[in-house]
Amino acid sequence: MKAAWIVSLVLFLLFHSCSKPELPNIILISADDMGWSDLGCYGSEISTPNIDQLAKQGIRFTQFHNTSKCFPSRACLLTGVYAQQNGYSKTYTEPLKNAVTLGEVLREAGYITLWSGKHHGVENPIYRGFDHYYGLKDGACNHFNPGVQRPGEGVPARKSWTGEKAKRAWCIDSMMFTPYTPEASDFYTTDYFTQYALEWLDEYRNDKRPLFLYLAYTAPHDPLMAWPDDIQKYEGKYDMGYDAIREERYSRQLEMGLIDESYRLSRAAYPDWDTLDAEVRSEEIRKMEVYAAMIDRLDQNIGRLLKALEETERSKNTLIIFVSDNGASAEMVHIDDDYGEIGTLTRWSSLGPQWANVANTPFRYFKNYSYEGGINTPLIAHWPGQIAPGTFSRFPGHFIDIMATFLDITGATYPLEYNGTEITPLQGESLMPAFHGEETARSKALFWEWSNGQAIREGDWKLVRWGKENPWDLYDISKDPTETNNLASDYPERVEAMEKYFLKWKNSLIDSK
């Protein structure tokens, strides 16, 4: 009788331990204005060993998408619905509406919720579901000093310092600073975003609750600024010019199996390197050296994070996802009163369209466009025991899928309302089948609209244009993922049907006007 009771007890404990698996820690990392080919594991010559290791031990996506612009992308990532549904399709100056955040959903599921880095929104994340928040509430800032001049230093380069918009808001939990002038002389955004995250990991070292960390870096968004030692690593690396670097990246992408021959290298958007005069070449080389150094530093900080996860014994059951909020940027910021060398505190420099074309290898166009160069992000997912190492996924995903994936993983509930108001139904699809190596088709179409860019993807077909009065381009992504062969004139009926579908979606949205 006693033996039977013991057996029953053991079976009971086994059943309950199996039926309620331990919830994983979740770390979501985003880069800012980083191109598709800027990581070593996506073809780059830039040193990113820590991110590359995550890819080697996890999965890389080749058809995952953002919205081509910082704040709409981040709003999608945060809420699981389109920016046109949460009020962030045109501006970030109003609170999120008709939506809940990852922090709010995961906190209800028992998670510690942490956010360090960029928000690009009007609300302090502390009041939208996060236990801690440290970082830039606005869009872009000086990486060495987001505030005013400090004793013994030059004037920090910044966009126009007039009006409320110029006062870049910075938050440390419930406190907000406009502007924020750090006291520490070693301040650098990438380093300090990581530092706060590491302090929180240590703070919750003995807390058995699962942890959600959103680590939203501002690198390598302009201004191009990096530590001298990091820049020095890349001196001479880019002397060969645009075309040589782009061709090398493309060759590595093919060699590693990231892409195949259907990814035809799109037409270059830069001049012949030899036609540039020496002064222009020197400046272009320096810009790319600094840009590479910023990504290198980003990877170093992810290495710090991975080490801390090991030390706090959270690494074994942790899902890590890495993305970029849009393609590399061709935008150029010109400030009259900045000075000094590219890469330093007093000089605001931008990457520009030539190197942005290289950064987005093998795709066309850049940030702001709805072509793949603007919307295709590297996505790496690493989860020991759940994701097979060294794998690739061709699943056509979107930032709206992140919320759906976290719900699937944690069993969290997506609410019907927020503060008594009905919210937008979840729009994304779980990535768990892709994580497990299943080749599944997407059940619903995907949509994009930002600035002059519009697109819809339905199955393998993509309809896209730049300029809302211009004709549509049509591409079969399964055969032409780099959008080099426009089939619109061959399939006019398909163009018409997909345009109607796009307009139906657009006209159903709160931001449709």
Side-chain angles (χ1 to χ4, degrees), residues 96-100 128 414-425 510:
L96 289 164
K97 54 189 176 184
N98 302 327
V100 289
R128 291 305 305 258
Y414 187 79
L416 300 176
E417 60 180 39
Y418 175 77
N419 283 347
T421 302
E422 185 177 345
I423 66 171
T424 304
I510 61 173

Side-chain angles (χ1 to χ4, degrees), residues 456-470:
I456 171 176
R457 176 162 173 176
E458 190 176 12
D460 289 327
W461 291 97
K462 181 180 175 186
L463 195 69
V464 58
R465 65 183 173 186
W466 175 257
K468 297 175 184 178
E469 303 304 320
N470 289 332

Side-chain angles (χ1 to χ4, degrees), residues 145-156 158 161 179 181-182 339 345-346:
N145 178 6
V148 299
Q149 184 177 11
R150 297 178 294 203
E153 291 184 343
V155 178
R158 57 194 177 221
W161 199 260
T181 306
Y339 60 96
L345 173 142
T346 58

